[in-house]
């Protein structure tokens, strides 16, 4: 899979004339070549439902007079650039208009549309895979496979299904002895419909070319569906446009889950200021450089989304912006290929622990997962995101954030992990059964959740206190009420005089705390288990209090039981990873720094662009090692750095970090 890809959207209304009228094969291919691009995804069929080539199945765009897809593939191949082909699944306006019986009907009898409130009441119609639309889509896919066998992959977009009670869906449920009025049965049938869709499309592709790369895009890779990805996907593409609502935590969260699965993957951002299809919107070149660097740091190849003008003319401004990022990526590739993440912490994904279904449109927000990843990134911990099928044995610490429900199988697995020397950090309600209390021997007894719904206060032990707060800190969430037995208390919980209600309130926001602590502990530690009584992960995501961040960092360090794999003087806005290239006997440290600034709010989404990459001087780095170091070098620049090696660590200083910097740690041959 190639490193420098473009996803070239081409969603074009049938009311626009002269499609491809300014397309020039020579300038098309050379423009991408000059921008250091090595793969461009081009369109067979867009969301409007039109094909951009002659078709016996669908309908060619009425404003197109030639085979644009063929011309694009040939032009790209002429200069050595790959050309995967795009088709859309759930959204097809032409099919929805001409066959309204193929549309999804929601359980309340409405015809679904995608976010019409964001686009002046106009949105995409949702189609139903239990209708003959699936036959139509499979025929379109096979037509592409027959007519363009030299394509370099199939990208199937909008690959999910909303619950439907269409006539076809009702018949399908009745045939499976399911009750279409029952939400559980509807979800079960929807999941079956999606599985059938994946199977049919995969078979339509593989019957013509078993080696053809195939990816189904749902906008978010749901954690906990690893067998699904193995069965149907050749690789994964992590769609994550940070300024369009995904934010800057979504991609690393997804990447840290996908990377350990061993499936090749890429990150997918956009050149747009905000959202897909924002023709005339441009991201600052520094932002793309940082975002591509972040992809490399998480083990991903790179993809940048663009949208071709209806005339087929390439936008020089876009190419210039992309070129600056991909020139850097091209120089970095030798230190990114075939690398694996080094991690001493495993974060058990809340999304994965809930065993997600294939039914419905994937959501991108899981507060506990996102909050935990934000904490781990800001504190520069080396981590992976794991699911219930993961092997915990290679990690020093396993974190269960805030709301992980533990069944018998997971309980046994975690107890075996701790018995073998592993450590576990639980926060909030994780590891607590509402009937039985603690499911692990944490050295305390649980007495329920605080009745102070607005929140309680905490005064941690000295080692866990924030550097600048030594008094009770309001946590914006109620504490779990625990009393230590044979475990070590991690501090005290203070309660407000009363919970804030219309009958009882004091001051502007929350009520002050009582002067004396309660009997409840802020947390407890016993053996391999550390428990914290507040949902600090989701509270930090919601509140963003610096004191909370410091407490969380100290809590994780205590639970880890020693120095972390990586430490650095990067500020909290910085990010750092260590990736190993086993075949080259070296580690590569990635250092990143950028500060997205709140600049606006569009369509209900905060707009936080990156504009100015500030140069950081003399950034110190220390990495745990197990063998002798031969050299430490800034790459791709080739500048050799001085270093100090102790028995189990190597330390050095990086002269400058601007956006993204890599450092190679080469080991002595045979080490």
């Amino acid at each position: 899979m190639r490193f420098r890809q473009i996803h070239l959207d081409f969603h074009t209304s049938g009311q626009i004339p002269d499609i491809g009228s300014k397309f020039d094969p020579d300038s098309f291919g050379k423009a991408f070549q000059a921008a250091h691009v090595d793969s461009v995804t081009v369109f067979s069929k867009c969301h409007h439902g039109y094909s951009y080539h002659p078709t016996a199945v669908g309908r060619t765009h009425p404003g197109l007079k030639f085979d644009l897809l063929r011309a694009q593939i040939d032009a790209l191949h002429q200069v050595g650039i790959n050309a995967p082909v795009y088709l859309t699944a759930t959204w097809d306006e032409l099919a929805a208009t001409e066959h309204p019986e193929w549309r999804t009907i929601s359980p309340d009898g409405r015809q679904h549309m995608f976010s019409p409130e964001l686009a002046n009441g106009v949105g995409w119609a949702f189609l139903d895979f239990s209708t003959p639309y699936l036959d139509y889509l499979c025929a379109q896919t096979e037509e592409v496979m027959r007519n363009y066998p030299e394509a370099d992959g199939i990208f199937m977009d909008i690959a999910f299904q909303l619950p439907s009670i269409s006539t076809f869906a009702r018949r399908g449920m009745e045939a499976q002895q399911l009750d279409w009025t029952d939400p559980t049965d509807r979800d079960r049938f929807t999941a079956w419909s999606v599985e059938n869709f994946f199977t049919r499309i995969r078979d339509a592709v593989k019957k013509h070319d078993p080696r053809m790369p195939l990816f189904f895009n749902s906008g978010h890779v749901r954690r906990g569906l690893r067998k699904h990805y193995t069965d149907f996907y050749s690789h994964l593409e992590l769609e994550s446009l940070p300024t369009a609502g995904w934010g800057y935590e979504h991609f690393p969260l997804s990447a840290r889950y996908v990377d350990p699965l061993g499936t090749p993957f890429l990150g997918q951002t956009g050149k747009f200021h905000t959202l897909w299809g924002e023709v005339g919107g441009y991201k600052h070149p520094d932002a793309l450089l940082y975002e591509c660097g972040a992809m490399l740091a998480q083990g991903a190849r790179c993809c940048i989304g663009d949208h071709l003008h209806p005339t087929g003319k390439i936008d020089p401004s876009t190419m210039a912006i992309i070129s600056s990022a991909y020139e850097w990526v091209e120089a970095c590739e030798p230190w990114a290929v075939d690398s694996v993440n080094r991690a001493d912490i495993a974060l058990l994904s809340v999304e994965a622990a809930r065993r997600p279904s294939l039914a419905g449109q994937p959501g991108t927000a899981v507060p506990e997962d996102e909050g935990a990843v934000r904490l781990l990134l800001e504190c520069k911990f080396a981590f992976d995101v794991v699911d219930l099928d993961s092997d915990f044995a290679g990690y020093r610490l396993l974190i269960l954030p805030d709301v992980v429900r533990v069944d018998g199988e997971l309980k046994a697995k975690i107890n075996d992990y701790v018995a073998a020397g592993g450590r576990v950090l639980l926060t909030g309600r994780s590891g607590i059964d509402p009937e039985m209390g603690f499911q692990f021997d944490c050295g305390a007894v649980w007495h329920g959740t605080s009745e102070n719904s607005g929140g309680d206060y905490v005064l941690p032990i000295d080692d866990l206190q924030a550097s600048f707060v030594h008094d009770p800190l309001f946590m914006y969430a109620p504490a779990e009420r625990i009393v230590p037995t044979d475990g070590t208390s991690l501090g005290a919980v203070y309660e407000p005089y009363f919970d804030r209600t219309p009958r009882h309130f004091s001051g502007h926001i929350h009520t002050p705390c009582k002067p004396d602590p309660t009997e409840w502990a802020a947390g407890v530690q016993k053996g391999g288990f550390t428990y914290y009584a507040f949902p600090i992960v989701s509270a930090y995501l919601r509140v963003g209090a610096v004191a909370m961040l410091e407490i969380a960092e100290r809590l994780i360090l205590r639970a880890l039981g020693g120095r972390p794999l990586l430490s650095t003087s990067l500020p909290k806005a910085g990010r750092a990873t260590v990736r190993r290239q086993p075949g080259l006997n070296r580690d590569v440290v990635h250092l990143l720094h950028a500060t997205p600034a709140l600049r606006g709010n569009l369509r209900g989404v905060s707009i936080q662009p990156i504009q100015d990459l500030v140069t950081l001087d003399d950034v110190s780095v220390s990495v745990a090692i197990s063998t002798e170091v031969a050299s430490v070098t800034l790459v791709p620049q080739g500048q050799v750095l001085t270093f100090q090696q102790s028995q189990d660590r190597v330390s050095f200083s990086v002269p400058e970090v601007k956006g993204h910097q890599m450092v190679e740690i080469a080991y002595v041959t045979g080490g």
Side-chain angles (χ1 to χ4, degrees):
M1 188 167 65
R2 297 198 167 180
F3 267 87
R4 290 165 276 120
Q5 303 195 28
I6 296 294
H7 186 93
L8 191 61
D9 261 8
F10 199 55
H11 303 294
T12 308
S13 167
Q15 297 171 315
I16 296 179
D18 303 322
I19 303 303
S21 59
K22 294 186 178 180
F23 176 81
D24 176 70
D26 186 59
S27 61
F28 184 81
K30 288 182 178 178
F32 288 108
Q33 185 182 42
H36 305 272
V37 173
D38 57 16
S39 181
V40 181
T41 300
V42 289
F43 269 42
S44 165
K45 182 186 75 165
C46 75
H47 293 339
H48 286 280
Y50 293 111
S51 299
Y52 296 95
H53 53 81
T55 174
V57 179
R59 186 179 305 170
T60 303
H61 192 289
L64 180 64
K65 307 304 181 186
F66 65 103
D67 189 339
L68 179 59
L69 178 60
R70 164 62 60 202
Q72 289 175 324
I73 292 174
D74 289 348
L76 293 168
H77 282 178
Q78 184 68 31
V79 291
I81 297 176
N82 279 1
V85 173
Y86 172 105
L87 296 101
T88 183
T90 300
W91 297 338
D92 181 324
E93 283 298 295
L94 182 64
T97 300
E98 296 191 343
H99 293 277
E101 72 277 12
W102 292 355
R103 290 184 63 172
T104 294
I105 305 297
S106 66
D108 62 3
R110 294 181 298 109
Q111 290 185 321
H112 279 296
M113 291 181 67
F114 173 71
S115 300
E117 71 278 5
L118 301 184
N120 299 322
V122 180
W124 305 113
F126 285 85
L127 291 162
D128 185 340
F129 293 144
S130 68
T131 72
Y133 172 66
L134 182 55
D135 299 325
Y136 175 75
L137 180 59
C138 287
Q140 289 179 312
T141 304
E142 288 207 51
E143 183 178 61
V144 170
M145 292 300 300
R146 284 193 303 269
N147 295 343
Y148 307 93
E150 72 278 29
D152 297 294
I154 297 294
F155 184 105
M156 186 64 65
D157 200 12
I158 320 299
F160 56 83
Q161 170 73 66
L162 301 184
S164 177
I165 59 166
S166 68
T167 301
F168 292 95
R170 291 186 191 185
R171 290 174 185 169
M173 282 183 265
E174 289 168 356
Q176 296 184 21
Q177 297 184 326
L178 299 174
D179 180 359
W180 61 267
T181 67
D182 182 278
T184 301
D185 278 2
R186 285 198 300 267
D187 283 350
R188 186 176 293 118
F189 180 74
T190 303
W192 176 88
S193 293
V194 174
E195 194 86 13
N196 183 54
F197 154 70
F198 280 113
T199 301
R200 293 275 308 275
I201 294 297
R202 178 196 62 190
D203 293 349
V205 170
K206 300 302 182 181
K207 70 184 285 188
H208 295 278
D209 185 350
R211 296 179 297 175
M212 180 66 74
L214 174 61
F215 172 67
F216 296 90
N217 184 46
S218 300
H220 170 68
V221 173
R222 282 178 268 209
R223 296 176 288 279
L225 294 175
R226 59 166 66 199
K227 185 178 185 301
H228 172 73
Y229 304 133
T230 301
D231 289 349
F232 297 107
Y233 295 59
S234 62
H235 65 285
L236 292 166
E237 304 192 20
L238 308 183
E239 180 184 357
S240 187
L241 279 62
T243 52
W246 279 265
Y248 277 95
E249 274 78 38
H250 178 263
F251 170 73
L253 169 57
S254 295
R256 292 277 33 88
Y257 172 67
V258 166
D259 191 16
L261 300 183
T263 301
F265 71 103
L266 58 82
Q268 186 185 89
T269 185
K271 72 94 180 183
F272 316 106
H273 172 59
T274 57
L275 193 60
W276 283 106
E278 189 188 40
V279 180
Y282 300 92
K283 184 172 287 178
H284 193 279
D286 282 353
L288 272 188
L289 189 149
Y290 173 83
E291 290 166 17
C292 289
M295 294 177 201
L296 297 179
Q298 300 296 343
R301 273 72 165 172
C302 304
C303 182
I304 299 172
D306 186 17
H307 197 293
L308 185 64
H309 190 272
T311 62
K313 186 178 183 296
I314 293 294
D315 180 355
S317 295
T318 295
M319 289 297 101
I321 293 169
I322 291 171
S323 178
S324 62
Y326 274 177
E327 183 177 15
W328 172 250
V329 173
E330 186 173 22
C332 293
E333 281 179 32
W335 292 272
V337 68
D338 295 332
S339 68
V340 293
N341 189 51
R342 291 188 60 196
D344 51 4
I345 295 175
L347 170 68
L348 181 58
S349 164
V350 168
E351 181 181 39
R354 289 171 176 163
R355 303 182 186 275
S357 166
L358 282 173
Q361 181 175 355
T364 60
V366 180
E368 297 79 15
D369 284 355
E370 188 175 328
V373 165
R374 179 176 293 179
L375 285 169
L376 292 167
L377 289 171
E378 290 182 345
C379 299
K380 317 303 181 293
F381 288 111
F383 68 98
D384 285 328
V385 177
V386 300
D387 61 23
L388 298 175
D389 296 318
S390 298
D391 183 0
F392 305 151
Y395 303 99
R396 292 168 56 195
L397 176 65
L398 173 67
I399 299 176
L400 278 64
D402 290 3
V403 294
V404 177
R405 299 187 64 179
V406 178
D407 60 17
E409 184 178 353
L410 180 57
K411 179 179 179 179
K413 186 173 181 177
I414 290 176
N415 278 329
D416 288 345
Y417 165 73
V418 173
R423 292 167 170 262
V424 177
L425 172 61
L426 308 131
T427 62
R429 291 297 294 271
S430 289
I432 294 177
D433 182 282
E435 302 295 330
M436 305 296 293
F438 280 114
Q439 294 174 278
F440 301 104
D441 184 8
C442 294
V445 176
W446 178 68
H447 293 272
T449 304
S450 169
E451 296 175 357
N452 299 311
S453 59
D456 289 309
Y457 293 77
V458 66
L459 183 60
I461 60 175
D462 290 349
D463 289 348
L464 296 183
Q465 289 179 14
S467 60
F468 59 98
V469 179
H470 307 291
D471 294 289
L473 174 73
F474 189 66
M475 290 296 290
Y476 296 88
E480 300 302 318
R481 290 174 167 171
I482 67 166
V483 176
T485 52
D486 56 348
T488 300
S489 174
L490 299 182
V493 172
Y494 285 70
E495 291 186 336
Y497 283 97
F498 41 76
D499 206 17
R500 186 178 178 89
T501 70
R503 292 183 181 274
H504 306 90
F505 71 94
S506 177
H508 292 329
I509 307 178
H510 41 264
T511 309
C513 68
K514 296 176 182 178
D516 298 317
T518 66
E519 63 182 301
W520 318 119
V524 66
Q525 188 171 36
K526 180 185 176 183
F529 289 99
T530 301
Y531 172 77
Y532 193 68
F534 287 90
I536 191 169
V537 167
S538 51
Y540 176 65
L541 178 70
R542 180 165 48 91
V543 177
V546 173
M548 280 190 196
L549 174 62
E550 288 196 18
I551 291 172
E553 181 175 14
R554 296 181 184 209
L555 182 68
I556 294 169
L557 284 170
R558 183 184 181 97
L560 191 61
R563 297 180 71 183
L565 186 150
L566 169 70
S567 60
T568 171
S569 65
L570 277 173
K572 292 302 184 189
R575 304 287 186 260
T577 62
V578 184
R579 300 193 63 82
R580 174 153 290 174
Q581 290 182 297
L584 297 172
N585 199 33
R586 68 190 183 194
D587 284 340
V588 179
V589 178
H590 293 260
L591 303 173
L592 294 139
H593 180 259
T595 52
L598 180 60
R599 294 290 177 79
N601 188 287
L602 184 63
R603 297 183 291 267
V605 175
S606 294
I607 307 302
Q608 295 180 280
I610 292 171
Q611 179 175 348
D612 303 307
L613 292 180
V614 177
T615 300
L616 304 178
D617 298 322
D618 299 322
V619 175
S620 63
V621 179
S622 174
V623 181
I625 57 171
S626 58
T627 189
E628 185 179 357
V629 174
S631 62
V632 176
T633 309
L634 286 184
V635 290
Q637 296 94 332
Q639 179 182 346
V640 177
L641 303 179
T642 59
F643 65 92
Q644 298 78 44
Q645 180 174 0
S646 62
Q647 185 176 0
D648 61 352
R649 298 190 77 84
V650 61
S651 302
F652 51 88
S653 179
V654 179
E656 289 187 354
V657 174
K658 185 176 182 181
H660 175 227
Q661 180 61 60
M662 300 188 301
V663 184
E664 173 197 274
I665 304 173
Y667 295 103
V668 172
T669 303

